[in-house]
Amino acid sequence: MLILVTGGAASGKSEHAERLLCERAACSRLYLATMQPFGAVAQARIARHRALRAGKGFDTVERPLGLAGLTLPHQYDGILLEDLGNLLANELFAPEGAKDAAFGSILAGIAHLQDCCETLVIVSNEIFADGLPYAPETVGYAAQLGRLHTVLAGRADAVYESVCGILLPVKGEHTV
């Protein structure tokens, strides 16, 4: 099963995604973190996410890019990928990232993760509504993230959007 959970910053999407995965993956759960801990703000977000999932039975792997080459210790009931936006930024802009091949690299990595679990929940940011002018690199990033959302939503069994802490079904399962 593939589930996509989107939402704005601090909308509760990560907590919803954890709950959705915990409901479906009874035994072995993996939290796959993509954020690189650059600076105090990133470190605080990482600490907050660790605290949120404490006691929920997650193994944690930190992998900022190259998901197709990830070797896991065993098959998991469920994997939570946190988050697609960070992964794309890492693949596009990190020196060791896939650069122009980021889109295909990410889709290959997600296909690999699906082979490693029964349920994959992907968290991603909705960044498309502010209407502000951005630098060309940021516009390109947003376009690729939008393409990833479109492809993944098409493949997903369920899609949700977290709005103001409320989880709204967009596709698939309509009861939460």
Side-chain angles (χ1 to χ4, degrees):
M1 172 173 253
L2 177 61
I3 300 171
L4 177 62
V5 179
T6 67
S11 66
K13 62 189 171 292
S14 298
E15 190 172 354
H16 288 306
E18 289 173 14
R19 183 179 48 77
L20 288 168
L21 186 63
C22 288
E23 289 172 355
R24 288 160 180 79
C27 296
S28 60
R29 300 179 195 117
L30 175 68
Y31 187 99
L32 185 54
T34 62
M35 179 177 265
Q36 297 190 51
F38 297 134
V41 172
Q43 290 172 4
R45 286 185 64 199
I46 290 168
R48 180 179 171 276
H49 281 241
R50 284 181 180 149
L52 281 174
R53 69 179 180 271
K56 294 181 182 174
F58 281 96
D59 293 340
T60 299
V61 170
E62 295 179 5
R63 180 79 173 215
L65 44 80
L67 296 184
L70 178 64
T71 301
L72 297 174
H74 58 82
Q75 186 81 5
Y76 283 89
D77 293 332
I79 297 174
L80 191 153
L81 174 61
E82 173 78 43
D83 83 19
L84 189 63
N86 286 330
L87 178 62
L88 176 60
N90 297 338
E91 290 288 10
L92 285 173
F93 304 120
E96 64 279 13
K99 306 289 186 223
D100 291 339
F103 186 83
S105 175
I106 289 170
L107 290 179
I110 288 170
H112 171 63
L113 292 177
Q114 287 184 276
D115 290 341
C116 297
C117 67
E118 294 296 319
T119 301
L120 175 61
V121 178
I122 300 172
V123 176
S124 191
N125 285 310
E126 282 293 335
I127 60 167
F128 312 104
D130 61 13
L132 298 175
Y134 290 107
E137 296 83 13
T138 304
V139 171
Y141 164 84
Q144 286 206 49
L145 186 61
R147 285 181 55 216
L148 286 167
H149 283 188
T150 300
V151 169
L152 294 173
R155 294 178 184 175
D157 300 290
V159 178
Y160 297 93
E161 182 178 8
S162 183
V163 179
C164 300
I166 300 167
L167 191 63
L168 303 174
V170 176
K171 174 186 176 183
E173 301 174 0
H174 292 285
T175 56
V176 179

